[in-house]
Amino acid sequence: MPVEIAYLTDFAIVVVGATLIGVIAQKLKQPTIVAYILTGVILGPVLFDIVTEEGLVEVMAELGLGFLLFLLGLKFRFKDIKEILRPIINISVGQTVLQTALAFAIAWVLGFTLIEVVIIALATVFGATPIIVKILTDKEEITTLPGKIDVGVLIVQDIYLVIVLALLGAENLANPNEIALSLGQIFLLISAVGLASIASSRYLLPKLFKRIADQKDIFFIIALSWAFLFIYISEFFDLSIEVGAFLAGLSLAQLPYSDELQDRMKPLTDFFILVFFSSIGLQIAADELFYYWFEAVVASIVLVVGNFWIMFYLIWRENFSIETSFLGSVNMIQVSEFSLVVGALALQQGFIEAEILGYLSLMALITMSASTYVINYNREIYKEVEHLFSVFDSPGRKDTEIREYRNHAVVVGYDELAEAVVPLLKKEYPEVVVVDRQTDNIDLLKKQDHEYIYGDFKHTEVRKAVNLKYADFVFSSSEQIDVNKQILEEVKPETICVFEASNSNDAEKLREVGADLVVIPKELSGEMMGEYLKMYIKNRSHFNEIIQRDLNRIKGETDGY
């Protein structure tokens, strides 16, 4: 069989296998990343040895890792953690030092060599970003204070990860002078590329994306090209592609278009995440995965317990409440998938043997699987043990107020009716946020000093950004019935929903599924819309009489055509 055909066959087998095992994992409420690693284990040398092309594995791993780091950079928005930046930095620095020391001590006691101990310590300090973010998002806890603390720490860890990956590109880790020189070069180059990334996000990218944001296909391609540009620059300066990919994502994350961009990039990055973690499993042999099985089990138990208490102490020391300290800690107990990223690169560079990657893989599988259940039931666990933690309580502990949209109004699209509605809503609700994907409208919203988010409301990331589930009022100028039905599915039962529709049939369908008011723009002026809303908010019974009269008139006119 020609090499090209063999590559394609193996690639297809990996993708189909990972998809099937991923579906099973989701039904068992296990992280899909664990499923992808298991796919490689099952299809590779550990079990059936079906996929054997080494060239394919290398290409898959490199592409997957680059896109994984690009996605993480794309999620790094400085504004998300600015309210608690100082505590997060303190917690992150302490966590990095203490958890690295703990991992170092465990590996040393378990009898590994010095270079293996260093790699293991560097590899096991990270939290599982995709798992933590996914579960907390599903539980609607990502915007809570513990969620913000965890995300902030994960972001700092991502920067640390980029430095570690760059450090592992050094030719000799056994020589202190070589390490110092490599670190100096790494910091200098990363600083230079990082400054270029931040400068471009402030001066170049806003102008560029403003021009092309309304063109959906070009919008996606430019973002992808930006990632490859920074990968090329990093390669040119002998940095890893991970550094370039992360910094490319970082610069794009600061744009007002980042929520929309994340959603457009998500299918591609999800695919390459599947590819990368499957490739990790493909590189493990059975005797390598279980070679240090006893040490992996012992280390997993000690690290889970130790990581919890380290994080609890650090959060508690910043004077947060006991509940916040507990929840922020219990979410971060696992050995992350990034231990495999670091381990795979260390193996590639010849710093460790394959058995050490197997040891790291087994720890990741054990702790990530266990932590999935712990995070899912974190609040229930806290209620059971709350009395035991009362000893840590003290007067004056107070959680930082996190700015987030709550009890607010959301306006979808900015047409003439919406322009008339927004000033009225500002008088009735503490915050009003407008979502629109027309750059001309965004400029207008800026001039009118309205709060806005750029994006298509069909996209999950955009709906999350406006905290739709906690809105008290939603006005949608979109006449797409599927968009408005999606809104009704996600809002609270008591949320007032006012929609536009293109015809009376669509209006009737929306009323049947729970819309409070549906208007047909052809029949209404912006001024009348404002009067309707005033009437609805102040006297609903009178409003119902008036609106029914108008609807009967409109229906009668429509039937007469």
Side-chain angles (χ1 to χ4, degrees):
M1 181 185 295
V3 174
E4 292 82 1
I5 300 298
Y7 275 16
L8 288 173
T9 302
D10 284 353
F11 194 78
I13 292 171
V14 169
V15 172
V16 172
T19 302
L20 293 174
I21 296 172
V23 170
I24 296 170
Q26 283 188 324
K27 290 186 177 297
L28 297 175
K29 295 186 176 181
Q30 283 295 307
T32 51
I33 289 171
V34 174
Y36 299 155
I37 298 171
L38 284 174
T39 300
V41 170
I42 292 169
L43 298 178
V46 173
L47 284 181
F48 299 115
D49 203 18
I50 297 172
V51 178
T52 58
E53 295 293 340
E54 292 184 4
L56 173 68
V57 173
E58 291 175 6
V59 172
M60 287 169 63
E62 192 161 6
L63 282 173
L65 182 54
F67 274 93
L68 180 56
L69 268 293
F70 177 68
L71 177 63
L72 292 176
L74 200 55
K75 290 180 176 290
F76 189 136
R77 288 187 293 198
F78 299 115
K79 67 178 183 178
D80 288 346
I81 58 170
K82 64 181 180 181
E83 300 98 333
I84 49 174
L85 186 58
R86 184 192 58 80
I88 281 177
I89 291 174
N90 293 340
I91 293 167
S92 301
V93 172
Q95 179 262 353
T96 300
V97 172
L98 294 177
Q99 288 192 12
T100 301
L102 176 63
F104 188 100
I106 295 169
W108 184 262
V109 169
L110 290 173
F112 293 103
T113 66
L114 179 59
I115 188 65
E116 290 171 345
V117 168
V118 170
I119 297 298
I120 291 169
L122 291 174
T124 53
V125 72
F126 309 103
T129 302
I131 292 173
I132 295 169
V133 171
K134 177 71 167 65
I135 297 176
L136 291 183
T137 300
D138 291 345
K139 293 186 67 186
E140 299 178 18
E141 292 184 12
I142 197 70
T143 56
T144 63
L145 183 57
K148 288 282 188 181
I149 291 172
D150 289 340
V151 169
V153 172
L154 290 171
I155 286 172
V156 176
Q157 286 182 359
D158 292 341
I159 298 173
Y160 175 55
L161 171 66
V162 170
I163 294 171
V164 169
L165 292 175
L167 177 61
L168 289 178
E171 295 181 2
N172 185 5
L173 279 181
N175 187 331
N177 293 330
E178 174 73 18
I179 294 175
L181 181 61
S182 295
L183 280 174
Q185 291 174 337
I186 288 164
F187 278 113
L188 183 63
L189 291 172
I190 288 179
S191 298
V193 180
L195 285 173
S197 169
I198 294 171
S200 63
S201 72
R202 179 169 297 183
Y203 301 110
L204 172 64
L205 292 176
K207 295 178 182 178
L208 174 62
F209 275 85
K210 181 182 175 181
R211 289 177 177 273
I212 55 93
D214 292 337
Q215 305 174 54
K216 297 181 180 181
D217 294 336
I218 297 177
F219 183 75
F220 173 79
I221 291 170
I222 292 293
L224 202 58
S225 301
W226 188 253
F228 281 112
L229 172 63
F230 268 77
I231 288 172
Y232 171 78
I233 292 171
S234 293
E235 287 276 285
F236 182 80
F237 287 112
D238 290 327
L239 295 171
S240 66
I241 68 167
E242 296 81 26
V243 173
F246 179 81
L247 291 173
L250 177 69
S251 58
L252 293 173
Q254 314 314 313
L255 301 178
Y257 316 105
S258 60
D259 292 310
E260 172 84 358
L261 191 54
Q262 282 183 48
D263 216 277
R264 291 193 174 279
M265 296 298 297
K266 193 172 185 301
L268 186 63
T269 49
D270 283 350
F271 175 75
F272 279 108
I273 285 172
L274 176 156
V275 164
F276 173 71
F277 287 108
S278 298
S279 72
I280 292 292
L282 288 171
Q283 296 177 67
I284 302 170
D287 53 344
E288 294 163 358
L289 182 64
F290 298 107
Y291 191 86
Y292 291 114
W293 72 267
F294 177 76
E295 290 86 347
V297 171
V298 171
S300 296
I301 294 171
V302 175
L303 284 174
V304 163
V305 175
N307 289 351
F308 169 80
W309 283 109
I310 287 170
M311 280 294 292
F312 181 86
Y313 166 71
L314 293 170
I315 300 173
W316 175 84
R317 189 183 62 174
E318 294 298 322
N319 219 33
F320 290 112
S321 69
I322 300 304
E323 181 176 4
T324 295
S325 301
F326 181 90
L327 294 175
S329 306
V330 82
N331 297 336
M332 300 277 286
I333 58 174
Q334 67 286 113
V335 173
S336 150
E337 73 282 357
F338 287 121
S339 64
L340 310 185
V341 174
V342 174
L345 185 56
L347 176 63
Q348 179 184 331
Q349 293 290 92
F351 297 131
I352 59 172
E353 299 298 325
E355 289 80 5
I356 301 300
L357 180 59
Y359 166 78
L360 293 171
S361 302
L362 192 55
M363 274 202 299
L365 288 169
I366 293 170
T367 59
M368 285 195 296
S369 300
S371 70
T372 300
Y373 295 100
V374 172
I375 300 172
N376 267 317
Y377 298 102
N378 55 5
R379 293 188 179 274
E380 290 81 357
I381 294 171
Y382 176 70
K383 288 178 182 178
E384 293 296 323
V385 301
E386 182 178 2
H387 63 285
L388 300 175
F389 283 80
S390 59
V391 66
F392 297 103
D393 206 359
S394 60
R397 291 191 169 275
K398 185 180 179 181
D399 286 338
T400 305
E401 291 292 329
I402 293 293
R403 184 186 180 279
E404 61 179 338
Y405 295 122
R406 292 281 175 131
N407 309 119
H408 57 299
V410 176
V411 176
V412 182
Y414 199 62
D415 61 2
E416 291 180 359
L417 286 181
E419 191 171 2
V421 165
V422 170
L424 173 65
L425 293 177
K426 280 191 167 183
K427 297 176 182 178
E428 301 291 337
Y429 295 93
E431 290 181 295
V432 179
V433 57
V434 182
V435 179
D436 196 279
R437 72 169 321 276
Q438 298 296 324
T439 52
D440 290 342
N441 286 344
I442 294 298
D443 290 339
L444 184 60
L445 288 164
K446 282 182 184 178
K447 291 177 183 176
Q448 296 174 342
D449 198 28
H450 295 324
E451 202 155 340
Y452 68 89
I453 288 176
Y454 173 89
D456 189 332
F457 212 70
K458 289 180 180 178
H459 293 160
T460 306
E461 294 296 332
V462 174
R463 296 198 299 276
K464 287 177 184 176
V466 300
N467 223 5
L468 181 63
K469 293 184 178 181
Y470 294 100
D472 280 354
F473 188 102
V474 179
F475 173 76
S476 171
S477 67
S478 172
E479 295 181 357
Q480 298 179 56
I481 194 168
D482 57 328
V483 171
N484 293 328
K485 284 183 176 180
Q486 183 72 45
I487 292 171
L488 290 168
E489 289 175 6
E490 294 188 17
V491 296
K492 301 177 293 185
E494 62 271 23
T495 300
I496 300 170
C497 292
V498 180
F499 300 142
E500 291 184 21
S502 58
N503 56 66
S504 58
N505 288 334
D506 284 354
E508 188 61 35
K509 288 177 183 178
L510 289 170
R511 283 193 291 272
E512 287 174 359
V513 293
D516 294 282
L517 170 63
V518 185
V519 296
I520 302 173
K522 290 181 291 188
E523 309 295 338
L524 288 174
S525 67
E527 183 179 350
M528 185 180 292
M529 184 64 207
E531 292 301 318
Y532 269 171
L533 288 178
K534 285 180 184 177
M535 195 186 308
Y536 187 87
I537 292 169
K538 294 178 179 178
N539 189 337
R540 294 192 186 183
S541 59
H542 179 56
F543 165 81
N544 288 331
E545 295 174 7
I546 297 297
I547 199 66
Q548 192 59 52
R549 184 196 67 193
D550 289 350
L551 288 172
N552 288 339
R553 177 180 59 81
I554 293 168
K555 190 173 187 299
E557 291 176 359
T558 305
D559 292 342
Y561 285 121

